[in-house]
Amino acid sequence: MTVTKETVIEGLKTVNGPDFTGNIVDLGLVSEIFIADSKVFFSITVPAERAQQMEPLRAAAERVVKAIPGVAGAVVALTAEKKGGGMENAPPRQPPRPAPSHAGHAPHAPASRISGKRGVPGIEAIIAVASGKGGVGKSTTAVNLALGLAANGLKVGVLDADIYGPSMPRLLGIRGRPETKDGKILQPMQNFGLKVMSMGFLVDEETPMIWRGPMVISALTQMLRECDWGALDVLVVDMPPGTGDAQLTMAQQVPLAGAVIVSTPQDLALIDARKGLNMFKKVDVPLLGIVENMSYFIAPDTGKRYDIFGHGGARKEAERLGVTFLGEVPLEMGIRESSDDGKPVVAAKPDGAEAKIYRGIAAKVWERLREEKTAAESATPAIVFE
């Protein structure tokens, strides 16, 4: 049975508005309704100062929509019209507190950095791979970093948080739809030893995601927290490019153990990369390091090296900021071809030079996670006797 917007609207007219005055449709609180693959997406506008009180209203709307024949699922978000929404809303820094020791396990996100953030059961550490702008190879770096971590003996998952341009289904050669447990909990897709979740598994590749920020956050929250990830040492989050509300909210709400910034060497890309670095600093997320992608090109016929986009800019920026430089990834046709074929180079050519580079980057990221964990555990508040 085909689900239509009209059917959804009629169902939502049975949901009372705030304080039981009218219904949410006639009160103009329902956003544009988006339907893809029998899944319904929309948001409800509520007063900003009462947003937390409106959760029962959101849940009621979600139940009504899910009960409509033919509806396979619903993503309903609360949104509020308010000023700002940018860096001025970043939470204040939290005072350090000691993190419990977990000998023999992956390093947890430092407790001082994630105060007030709810963890995800079974996941030891969550790291973000981010960039200040699109087109720098962030997703390719994220998937090969994940494969590099797995090659080094870790249990790894990938969350494709780029709602508007999900890449993981193509990069990892995964097709089909994820199954659910009890009709509620998503089962991640798998390939090359990675557990993967992406909006690209839930909607067709050609479907445009024309969403407001709150709907994006709601979808990301469901993919993160309503997914059966099982036991993972690391979950790699391929963040959306840029530093907008979606990225900021993810950094604020998800207990990130650290962030990896991807940039190309040229000055324009580095300007945007600095914005990403500063965003994570604002919300007290440790910076694990910078990767310089498309760093250089080796001509296959002559072996001559060309610095097409300049060279060393990301390394110099890392040194200037006191951030770890994780490595240089060349502009290599094989990386692009294997990515397009759904066989990332670390999996397709594990003994190749490029795979060795990514495994080296993964080893440095893992070491930085251990350093951050040690630093958090040693940040015990001093006891002063007067």
Side-chain angles (χ1 to χ4, degrees), residues 344-362:
V345 68
V346 174
K349 298 178 180 179
D351 297 324
E354 292 77 25
K356 183 178 180 181
I357 291 171
Y358 282 119
R359 286 199 304 272
I361 291 172

Side-chain angles (χ1 to χ4, degrees), residues 79-213:
T79 183
E81 298 296 339
K82 59 182 179 180
K83 297 180 180 179
M87 292 306 298
E88 67 275 11
N89 288 334
R93 288 177 173 263
Q94 300 291 333
R97 63 178 181 177
S101 176
H102 295 272
H105 292 279
H108 279 283
S112 63
R113 314 297 181 101
I114 62 172
S115 179
K117 300 179 185 179
R118 184 162 57 96
V120 181
I123 300 178
E124 296 291 339
I126 303 175
I127 63 174
V129 178
S131 63
K133 60 180 291 185
V136 299
K138 170 184 55 63
S139 295
T140 300
T141 302
V143 73
N144 281 293
L145 169 62
L147 288 166
L149 290 165
N152 291 341
L154 303 175
K155 296 178 181 178
V156 185
V158 179
L159 172 61
D160 188 352
D162 192 352
I163 295 294
Y164 298 112
S167 303
M168 289 305 151
R170 178 173 292 272
L171 286 172
L172 286 166
I174 303 176
R175 298 181 181 276
R177 298 281 188 261
E179 297 179 353
T180 61
K181 182 192 297 183
D182 302 327
K184 297 179 181 179
I185 304 300
L186 290 166
Q187 298 297 307
M189 308 291 275
Q190 297 191 47
N191 203 7
F192 304 116
L194 302 178
K195 293 183 177 181
V196 190
M197 183 51 61
S198 168
M199 182 57 70
F201 299 140
L202 304 176
V203 299
D204 291 334
E205 191 175 51
E206 295 81 12
T207 301
M209 308 305 289
I210 309 172
W211 288 359
R212 300 173 68 182

Side-chain angles (χ1 to χ4, degrees), residues 7-83:
T7 304
V8 174
I9 289 172
E10 286 304 312
L12 291 175
K13 285 184 178 180
T14 65
V15 180
N16 291 324
D19 305 320
F20 301 97
T21 57
N23 65 74
I24 60 176
V25 174
D26 292 339
L27 290 172
L29 305 182
V30 179
S31 72
E32 178 68 19
I33 295 170
F34 177 76
I35 302 174
D37 297 330
S38 299
K39 297 180 179 65
V40 182
F41 306 84
F42 63 93
S43 62
I44 302 172
T45 302
V46 297
E49 65 278 5
R50 298 182 60 190
Q52 291 185 342
Q53 304 171 20
M54 295 295 106
E55 172 56 25
L57 184 149
R58 186 206 67 79
E62 186 176 85
R63 284 196 301 271
V64 166
V65 173
K66 285 183 175 179
I68 297 173
V71 171
V75 175
V76 184
L78 293 178
T79 183
E81 298 296 339
K82 59 182 179 180
K83 297 180 180 179

Side-chain angles (χ1 to χ4, degrees), residues 297-304 306:
F297 174 71
I298 302 295
D301 52 347
T302 65
K304 185 177 180 180
Y306 296 89

Side-chain angles (χ1 to χ4, degrees), residues 112-372:
S112 63
R113 314 297 181 101
I114 62 172
S115 179
K117 300 179 185 179
R118 184 162 57 96
V120 181
I123 300 178
E124 296 291 339
I126 303 175
I127 63 174
V129 178
S131 63
K133 60 180 291 185
V136 299
K138 170 184 55 63
S139 295
T140 300
T141 302
V143 73
N144 281 293
L145 169 62
L147 288 166
L149 290 165
N152 291 341
L154 303 175
K155 296 178 181 178
V156 185
V158 179
L159 172 61
D160 188 352
D162 192 352
I163 295 294
Y164 298 112
S167 303
M168 289 305 151
R170 178 173 292 272
L171 286 172
L172 286 166
I174 303 176
R175 298 181 181 276
R177 298 281 188 261
E179 297 179 353
T180 61
K181 182 192 297 183
D182 302 327
K184 297 179 181 179
I185 304 300
L186 290 166
Q187 298 297 307
M189 308 291 275
Q190 297 191 47
N191 203 7
F192 304 116
L194 302 178
K195 293 183 177 181
V196 190
M197 183 51 61
S198 168
M199 182 57 70
F201 299 140
L202 304 176
V203 299
D204 291 334
E205 191 175 51
E206 295 81 12
T207 301
M209 308 305 289
I210 309 172
W211 288 359
R212 300 173 68 182
M215 295 177 70
V216 172
I217 297 305
S218 182
L220 290 175
T221 300
Q222 287 196 1
M223 289 194 296
L224 176 66
R225 301 191 182 279
E226 297 180 22
C227 182
D228 184 15
W229 292 106
L232 294 178
D233 294 308
V234 183
L235 178 67
V236 176
V237 180
D238 180 19
M239 295 283 281
T243 53
D245 278 347
Q247 295 87 335
L248 177 61
T249 306
M250 280 287 288
Q252 288 175 324
Q253 295 184 0
V254 176
L256 295 174
V260 172
I261 302 296
V262 181
S263 179
T264 49
Q266 70 265 44
D267 291 341
L268 286 177
L270 288 167
I271 290 172
D272 291 313
R274 290 183 198 117
K275 295 177 183 177
L277 288 162
N278 288 330
M279 181 190 74
F280 286 112
K281 284 183 178 180
K282 280 277 189 177
V283 293
D284 229 3
V285 172
L287 297 171
L288 302 179
I290 301 176
V291 174
E292 182 172 279
N293 198 32
M294 308 181 198
S295 182
Y296 54 88
F297 174 71
I298 302 295
D301 52 347
T302 65
K304 185 177 180 180
R305 171 172 169 155
Y306 296 89
D307 295 331
I308 297 175
F309 300 116
H311 179 71
R315 183 189 293 273
K316 292 177 183 176
E317 187 69 14
E319 292 173 352
R320 187 181 73 84
L321 297 173
V323 177
T324 301
F325 182 68
L326 297 172
E328 303 171 344
V329 179
L331 181 62
E332 165 59 44
M333 186 69 72
I335 295 176
R336 196 274 301 167
E337 290 176 342
S338 63
S339 297
D340 287 349
D341 290 340
K343 299 176 182 178
V345 68
V346 174
K349 298 178 180 179
D351 297 324
E354 292 77 25
K356 183 178 180 181
I357 291 171
Y358 282 119
R359 286 199 304 272
I361 291 172
K364 289 183 180 180
V365 168
W366 181 248
E367 182 60 29
R368 285 287 295 114
L369 283 173
R370 295 175 64 86
E371 291 172 359
E372 289 295 335

